[in-house]
Amino acid sequence: MHVSGSVAAFKACELITALRKNGCEVRVAMTAGAKRFITAATLRSLSGHPVLDDMWANGTEAHGMGHIDLGSWAGVHVAVAASASLIARLAHGFADDAVTTSLLATRAPLLVAPAMETAMWEHPATRANVEALRSRGAHLLGPVSGRLASGAEGDGRMVEVAAVVEAVLALVRESTG
Ligand SMILES: Cc1cc2nc3c(=O)[nH]c(=O)nc-3n(C[C@H](O)[C@H](O)[C@H](O)COP(=O)(O)O)c2cc1C
């Protein structure tokens, strides 16, 4: 699981617990932006694994490339609450932090659940980035219309955690045959 700097990042906590209840082992990477909203300690406690939040930390592996391990370990990757910035970086193949590098160093399916204000979601740049991800096979889930962090109503609200769980489990079933 990959967590980025949207207000809805806190929903990653509930998602980890729900996925584990459904039999998934969850390992988490987070962006510097995500750390402005939730802590690595919380995600570590809930997942039961160290959180990859610094590409340059030595980690536990001898080769010191936790992003390569996470990229290849996961059967399915899920990015929540995917920020406009993360979507842009993924669309352009950036590998500039633990999350984007792990997501470039993988052949596993990617599910993206965006969360942002309506103007960001509807911006032509975001639309193009989303289409680029879709055209490469990424699965976009939501966002939906509803109350946003700013208090406004509109498109951009992250889908419910239950919907993400369902989509992840479907991809797991697909990838394990
Ligand atoms: C209070 C606050 C709330 C924010 N909420 C969002 C959000 O919901 N969605 C989003 O795409 N960006 C949001 N941003 C902007 C991102 O946090 C910013 O683009 C950041 O660089 C994202 O980094 P990351 O994608 O590497 O996590 C917010 C910024 C602030 C200061």
Side-chain angles (χ1 to χ4, degrees), residues 91-122:
H92 292 272
F94 278 36
D96 58 352
D97 67 6
V99 166
T100 54
T101 308
S102 305
L103 288 176
L104 204 59
T106 188
R107 292 188 172 84
L110 169 64
L111 179 70
V112 180
M116 66 196 72
E117 292 292 317
T118 306
M120 293 175 88
W121 176 246
E122 291 182 347

Side-chain angles (χ1 to χ4, degrees), residues 11-148:
K11 293 184 180 175
C13 302
E14 193 188 335
L15 179 58
I16 292 169
T17 303
L19 286 171
R20 292 189 73 190
K21 275 188 190 160
N22 278 278
C24 300
E25 189 175 354
V26 182
R27 291 178 185 258
V28 182
M30 70 194 305
T31 64
K35 293 176 88 172
R36 299 289 196 140
F37 294 92
I38 54 172
T39 69
T42 304
L43 299 178
R44 179 182 185 147
S45 301
L46 293 172
S47 68
H49 291 289
V51 171
L52 188 63
D53 59 352
D54 178 1
M55 195 165 57
W56 298 104
N58 283 331
T60 51
E61 311 80 13
H63 56 55
M65 292 186 284
H67 53 282
I68 302 296
D69 280 340
L70 183 62
S72 58
W73 172 83
V76 172
H77 289 278
V78 56
V80 297
S83 67
S85 167
L86 178 62
I87 289 170
R89 285 181 288 135
L90 294 179
H92 292 272
F94 278 36
D96 58 352
D97 67 6
V99 166
T100 54
T101 308
S102 305
L103 288 176
L104 204 59
T106 188
R107 292 188 172 84
L110 169 64
L111 179 70
V112 180
M116 66 196 72
E117 292 292 317
T118 306
M120 293 175 88
W121 176 246
E122 291 182 347
H123 195 285
T126 304
R127 305 259 42 81
N129 292 332
V130 165
E131 280 321 305
L133 288 180
R134 272 206 187 103
S135 72
R136 294 205 298 263
H139 303 267
L140 269 289
L141 188 64
V144 293
S145 190
R147 189 177 168 83
L148 305 172

